[in-house]
Amino acid sequence: MENSKIYIANWKMNFSFDQATKFVTENHKQFSQLLKKSNSKIVLCSSHTQIYSLQQILNSSNISIGAQNCSQHLKGAFTGEISVIDLSQIGCKYCIIGHSERRNYHNETNQIVCKKLENLINYKINPIVCIGEQISDYENKKTISCLEKQLNPILEKINFMNNISKDIEICIAYEPVWAIGSGKIPDKHHLENIFSWISQKIKLISNKISCNLIYGGSINSKNISSIKKIKYINGFLVGEASLKFQEFEKIINLQ
Ligand code: PGA
């Protein structure tokens, strides 16, 4: 369907268990109604401790629960880590990897992102892989070379993998680091250039896997309409604005 989109909520560490279960209990029927109008999907990325319970509340196939991180290892002596094996067994359908908050505060390197990606694909969890440049790179017109360093290893990893399930859907999320939580978004011209470039790059793997191109960073109900018009973008990663039902609803509804 022409206007089908994927709306991914990144709740970060904002909702407690009680708040997250209340949010999903109160709103999932309305979300389903909203999605009936288009062929869109909603993914709610919660804390690990909430995934199983949230999954139990849902009864709609186009609303899924996702994680915000996973371990690069499958099992072993890695105290406090969460394996994708566990995530797949509790009904987690998507997982964010390479978010700038993890790259910056938890030393998540491209190599670690690629290990996580491989594990997720093998355990049939759809990866949401984040890439994005710092403000200095943006100002010095180095966005493409910066994104290339993050995207190339990801595409090479996918290209190298055999037997990827046809059901896997990979989301490449372009999130300029300076746009996250700042209220600033890149102009239309910049986004058109970047998404056209990403779309060319992923042609390499698009016969192996289906890809969604996602924009994230300070999306809200005031700027969503202009971003929806940009070619190649078929999904959104929404932080702050996904914590309030009415705001998230507007983001999904507005054309
Ligand atoms: P924001 O966060 O919408 O609050 O800017 C987006 C993100 O970090 O994924």
Side-chain angles (χ1 to χ4, degrees), residues 5 13 29 62 86 103 137 141 155 188 200 237:
K5 299 269 187 282
M13 210 175 66
K29 290 203 179 93
N62 44 16
D86 254 16
R103 290 182 191 261
D137 294 315
K141 309 218 175 318
L155 300 182
K188 186 169 171 265
Q200 284 302 318
L237 185 50

Side-chain angles (χ1 to χ4, degrees), residues 41 94 121 126-127 158 164-172 202 205-213 234:
K41 290 184 205 170
Y94 290 78
I121 292 176
N126 301 309
I158 296 169
I164 299 180
S165 160
K166 284 279 167 230
D167 300 332
I168 280 285
E169 173 195 317
I170 189 159
C171 301
I172 305 282
I202 62 166
I205 53 155
S206 50
N207 59 338
K208 279 193 113 175
I209 206 160
S210 77
C211 281
N212 286 313
L213 299 194
N234 55 359

Side-chain angles (χ1 to χ4, degrees), residues 15 51 56 75 80 99 120 143 166 169 211 221 225 237 239 241:
F15 275 157
I51 295 171
Q56 299 294 303
K75 65 175 283 188
H99 190 281
L120 289 167
T143 299
K166 284 279 167 230
E169 173 195 317
C211 281
S221 60
S225 296
L237 185 50

